[in-house]
Amino acid sequence: NKFVYNAAAHKPTVTVTFNGATLREGVDYEVLYLEALKVSNGKPTRWFGYGDTSVDCINASDHYYAVVMGKGNYYTADNLTLYANFVVEKATVTEPAVASKPYSGSVQTADIADTELYTVGQNNGGIDAGNYDVVLKLKDSANYRWATADGAEITLQFKIIQARNAWTKTPNIIGWTYGKTPNTPVGEARFGTI
């Protein structure tokens, strides 16, 4: 069985049969949910939790086991040898889209804020057109993973794109008479000087 982390305990349904008959939980057997602290050759050799105490199988792990212990008319030779492994996988976090911005002449950063799942570790942006790193870090990397990357951190790209220059005041020569020295043209561009 596989589950996905959701901050709740996970306990797979267990069905036990003996000689074709389905046994009854609580009457013929009990189920403990344990976590193996050590696994050797695919078999658990050391448990977290023991005896009649189950552990909460909440966090992501591939070392959880449903352990069946005989009861009433049924028994197991060793109480911790009849078991089945189950996994709680890390929940997936989809990386946010990083919108680009046109060049403005001022420092710009990506419009990304901390969330309940990750923090923004770097978002310095820049002034000039180009790509700038935005680093996000998972708050709980033991139980969450990025959709497209391994590890707690992911680096995304924030892009400042070239802006189109335009006239804010169309160039014009005022008061010029043909054959005379022209006046200085007057005009203004969005970026730069004329």
Side-chain angles (χ1 to χ4, degrees), residues 141-152:
S141 61
N143 291 308
Y144 291 93
R145 61 177 293 282
W146 293 109
T148 60
D150 294 325

Side-chain angles (χ1 to χ4, degrees), residues 10-145:
H10 297 283
K11 294 183 177 180
T13 302
V14 174
T15 301
V16 178
T17 59
F18 181 75
N19 288 338
T22 301
L23 304 184
R24 298 165 294 164
E25 185 175 354
V27 176
D28 302 319
Y29 67 93
E30 295 290 340
V31 179
L32 294 179
Y33 298 93
L34 303 175
E35 184 173 9
L37 293 177
K38 185 175 181 185
V39 177
S40 179
N41 296 324
K43 295 182 179 182
T45 58
R46 189 166 166 219
W47 300 95
F48 178 80
Y50 188 80
D52 61 355
T53 305
S54 285
V55 298
D56 290 327
C57 304
I58 297 173
N59 295 318
S61 173
D62 58 357
H63 291 226
Y64 288 128
Y65 291 83
V67 180
V68 175
M69 299 175 65
K71 184 176 180 179
N73 294 326
Y74 300 92
Y75 72 95
T76 50
D78 176 351
N79 282 338
L80 298 178
T81 58
L82 185 59
Y83 52 81
N85 175 247
F86 66 98
V87 174
V88 177
E89 296 178 334
K90 292 181 179 185
T92 301
V93 177
T94 302
E95 298 83 355
V98 181
S100 60
K101 294 181 181 178
Y103 172 81
S104 69
S106 301
V107 173
Q108 297 185 91
T109 59
D111 294 329
I112 293 183
D114 292 352
T115 70
E116 63 185 26
L117 299 176
Y118 58 81
T119 59
V120 179
Q122 177 184 330
N123 184 13
N124 300 328
I127 297 174
D128 296 327
N131 291 325
Y132 297 90
D133 289 346
V134 176
V135 179
L136 305 180
K137 184 173 183 177
L138 292 170
K139 291 181 178 179
D140 181 4
S141 61
N143 291 308
Y144 291 93
R145 61 177 293 282

